[in-house]
Amino acid sequence: MASFATFYTTWNDQLHHLLRQLCSAPKPPTTQDHLHHLSHLVDKVLSHYSEYYRVKAAVVERDVLEVFAAPWASSLEKSLHWIAGWRPTTVFHLVYTESSILFESHIVDILRGMRTGDLGDLSPSQFRRVSELQCETVKEENAITDELSEWQHSIGDLMGTFTEVDQMIGRLASVVQKADDLRLRTLKKVVNLLTPQQAVEFLIAAAELQFGIREWGMNQDGQRTF
């Protein structure tokens, strides 16, 4: 499992590098080349997240309990986890929050009929599709939560044989894999609903939130006395 901790550190460093590329990209894009560049950056970031879940899936199969323990994460990060990772519906809260902040900052221009093209300028069609996706995601999220709850209740029925324990651990690994699949699918679907400029802004906000929580959590862990 130490190898995954090493992978996570490297993966996190690479995400920092990608964040710098996202932040330095022209917004709004002024040429077709700039637009292609934004799309390419978005694809790179999504591929980076896909790689994380590909490696994590192998670890889940090998030792799902260690994934729940998440020794590579801060105490704060672990306190926010839903089934060994972030809650998929967090994506929608982030979209709405960023959209609201940018809308308020550009409200005068928007009222004058000027289009900013950023997350504060989501079209009615985009809002509708995001809302529909949110409802679908909530249903899937609740179903996975129920499956975990059933697993937790059934753990008391174990007779203590190795076969039964292995089966229970296998069921838990399946729950985590479903949760991770929903996390990645939700991220990709939301990005696909956005323009390249909006997708870049969303991915910047998501990465900054992730880094902010991690940094604050690590600082708190470092100050804690036992």
Side-chain angles (χ1 to χ4, degrees):
M1 207 55 192
S3 60
F4 183 75
T6 300
F7 163 80
Y8 183 77
T9 298
T10 301
W11 182 89
N12 211 44
D13 290 342
Q14 291 171 342
L15 185 59
H16 270 287
H17 178 67
L18 288 171
L19 175 60
R20 288 192 291 271
Q21 292 184 47
L22 291 173
C23 291
S24 63
K27 294 179 288 292
T30 56
T31 67
Q32 195 65 29
D33 285 343
H34 286 162
L35 188 62
H36 288 155
H37 178 60
L38 294 188
S39 297
H40 177 64
L41 285 178
V42 169
D43 289 342
K44 283 177 63 176
V45 175
L46 291 180
S47 294
H48 192 58
Y49 281 110
S50 295
E51 174 67 4
Y52 170 79
Y53 287 109
R54 185 191 68 78
V55 175
K56 185 182 176 185
V59 178
V60 168
E61 289 186 5
R62 186 171 70 244
D63 192 348
V64 66
L65 297 181
E66 190 72 9
V67 171
F68 267 94
W72 52 85
S74 67
S75 299
L76 175 61
E77 289 172 291
K78 286 184 276 192
S79 74
L80 297 172
H81 279 177
W82 170 81
I83 312 183
W86 51 273
R87 186 177 286 274
T89 45
T90 303
V91 166
F92 303 101
H93 298 305
L94 187 59
V95 170
Y96 294 138
T97 298
E98 290 298 310
S99 177
S100 177
I101 291 172
L102 288 171
F103 176 82
E104 291 179 4
S105 67
H106 301 314
I107 190 168
V108 174
D109 291 336
I110 292 173
L111 290 175
R112 290 174 177 170
M114 297 175 62
R115 303 301 300 271
T116 60
D118 58 19
L119 275 175
D121 194 22
L122 291 175
S123 69
S125 174
Q126 285 179 307
F127 269 118
R128 184 183 68 254
R129 291 156 66 195
V130 168
S131 179
E132 292 170 350
L133 180 57
Q134 182 180 15
C135 291
E136 295 170 6
T137 304
V138 167
K139 290 180 181 179
E140 287 195 66
E141 194 177 90
N142 288 341
I144 297 172
T145 298
D146 289 343
E147 190 171 346
L148 177 63
S149 180
E150 291 174 5
W151 182 88
Q152 291 171 330
H153 284 123
S154 64
I155 199 74
D157 298 331
L158 282 178
M159 299 300 294
T161 67
F162 287 117
T163 300
E164 289 171 326
V165 171
D166 285 345
Q167 289 176 345
M168 290 296 294
I169 296 302
R171 284 179 54 194
L172 181 60
S174 175
V175 172
V176 175
Q177 289 168 343
K178 289 179 182 179
D180 282 344
D181 176 67
L182 181 58
R183 279 185 266 265
L184 183 58
R185 280 192 292 112
T186 302
L187 179 67
K188 288 183 175 180
K189 286 182 178 180
V190 167
V191 167
N192 286 336
L193 295 178
L194 305 174
T195 66
Q197 178 186 347
Q198 292 167 344
V200 166
E201 293 169 350
F202 166 73
L203 292 172
I204 288 173
E208 289 180 340
L209 177 62
Q210 178 178 334
F211 293 144
I213 290 174
R214 180 166 180 77
E215 182 178 359
W216 194 87
M218 297 297 283
N219 287 339
Q220 289 297 306
D221 285 350
Q223 295 172 17
R224 186 175 294 113
T225 56
F226 297 92

